[in-house]
Amino acid sequence: MEKREQLYEGKAKKVFATDDPNLCIVSYKDDATAFNGLKKGTILGKGAINNRLTNHFMQQMEKAGIPTHFVEELSDRDTVVKRVTIVPLEVIIRNVAAGSFSKRYGVEEGTPLHEPSIEFSYKNDDLGDPLLAEGHIYAMALATREELKTITDYAFKVNELLKAELIADGVELIDFKLEFGKTPDGKIVLADEISPDTCRFWDAKTHEKLDKDRFRRDMGGVEDAYREMLHRILGE
Ligand code: TMP
């Protein structure tokens, strides 16, 4: 399978067409941004690590019955995925207060939540991905009730599966963001990535951050954190 024309370039990945109209190739970059692109940088080796970790997690999800866009890892940075229409929602699950939740509600970072929460943001860079009330999703026809039910069920199931796998490697899953796609026949599948760019991972004992917050907050040790996650999850 070979790359044809570039279809899209995002902040962390490029997407290419292939000879098969139902498949495309995602190519992971080392570029990193935060605060809706305001902060820019490079995290050396990040593209390859996020490719490996995402593909591993996607395959775990498939095994557990959650359909995903994953097809085949081509090389260290490139992966074949199903061509889908991305549902314009950022789906965020939280287990422990952190980030915008802590800021918005005044709950100290690291406070365990009484139960996992789900929230949706409108995937729209020009607007800075604003938080959505459920009714707004239907009002703007971003997803149907049935689609949102499927997305919600899948997202909570991903949380349980990921949490269980990570804790076995001494990593606590604080929160994460998922995106879903729709296949031409209308099926909802898990898409985008599951990586230290899109999740908060803390060492379960020391609470050391092993994710992109090290970049967002200028904490140093960014590359080491990504490498540590690759090592813990895949032993590489
Ligand atoms: P938040 O606390 O800043 O709302 O972030 C919640 C989770 O979503 C966190 O694991 C990081 C992830 N995230 C993204 O993947 N992309 C984004 O653009 C943002 C703001 C957060």
Side-chain angles (χ1 to χ4, degrees):
M1 178 107 355
E2 278 176 39
K3 288 180 197 162
R4 297 299 177 207
E5 80 272 15
Q6 185 174 305
L7 298 172
Y8 175 78
E9 176 160 12
K11 290 183 290 243
K13 297 186 287 295
K14 293 178 183 178
V15 183
F16 296 89
T18 68
D19 289 335
D20 184 333
N22 294 314
L23 300 177
C24 46
I25 293 174
V26 291
S27 188
Y28 287 74
K29 307 190 286 184
D30 284 353
D31 299 354
T33 66
F35 315 116
N36 200 23
L38 234 56
K39 182 184 172 89
K40 288 191 174 71
T42 302
I43 301 174
L44 278 179
K46 170 173 90 79
I49 291 173
N50 285 358
N51 185 39
R52 296 281 298 129
L53 284 174
T54 294
N55 292 344
H56 169 76
F57 290 133
M58 289 287 175
Q59 289 173 89
Q60 298 298 103
M61 298 306 124
E62 283 278 355
K63 270 191 219 155
I66 297 167
T68 78
H69 72 164
F70 176 79
V71 176
E72 183 193 5
E73 188 168 293
L74 273 188
S75 68
D76 64 339
R77 280 170 195 276
D78 296 347
T79 291
V80 183
V81 298
K82 291 172 198 147
R83 194 158 171 175
V84 297
T85 314
I86 292 289
V87 179
L89 298 175
E90 303 218 329
V91 181
I92 295 163
I93 297 271
R94 301 181 191 268
N95 296 303
V96 174
S100 68
F101 184 98
S102 290
K103 213 168 165 186
R104 179 175 297 116
Y105 303 121
V107 181
E108 194 187 343
E109 232 181 36
T111 308
L113 300 180
H114 189 64
E115 57 181 73
S117 72
I118 190 164
E119 75 206 42
F120 304 96
S121 293
Y122 182 23
K123 189 174 155 63
N124 183 319
D125 280 342
D126 292 339
L127 300 174
D129 301 337
L131 192 61
L132 288 163
E134 188 180 329
H136 297 159
I137 296 174
Y138 309 132
M140 292 190 279
L142 304 179
T144 65
R145 282 174 171 78
E146 196 189 345
E147 286 165 353
L148 203 67
K149 164 98 172 61
T150 303
I151 287 172
T152 300
D153 290 348
Y154 286 163
F156 280 123
K157 193 164 175 199
V158 168
N159 187 40
E160 292 314 313
L161 294 163
L162 269 186
K163 249 196 311 196
E165 175 172 6
L166 289 161
I167 204 65
D169 295 316
V171 176
E172 189 177 2
L173 180 61
I174 304 301
D175 57 30
F176 58 97
K177 185 264 298 180
L178 300 175
E179 294 182 24
F180 291 85
K182 236 163 106 172
T183 60
D185 57 354
K187 197 171 119 179
I188 295 285
V189 301
L190 182 58
D192 194 52
E193 64 181 275
I194 301 175
S195 75
D197 271 19
T198 60
C199 305
R200 286 195 173 94
F201 298 131
W202 291 5
D203 180 278
K205 280 212 186 79
T206 66
H207 293 173
E208 185 193 357
K209 295 186 195 326
L210 298 171
D211 57 59
K212 194 177 163 190
D213 269 350
R214 302 198 76 88
F215 170 80
R216 295 187 187 99
R217 302 179 186 189
D218 295 319
M219 297 170 75
V222 185
E223 279 89 358
D224 283 347
Y226 280 73
R227 275 198 295 267
E228 177 66 18
M229 281 305 300
L230 181 70
H231 181 68
R232 291 219 194 167
I233 304 304
L234 293 171
E236 292 171 11

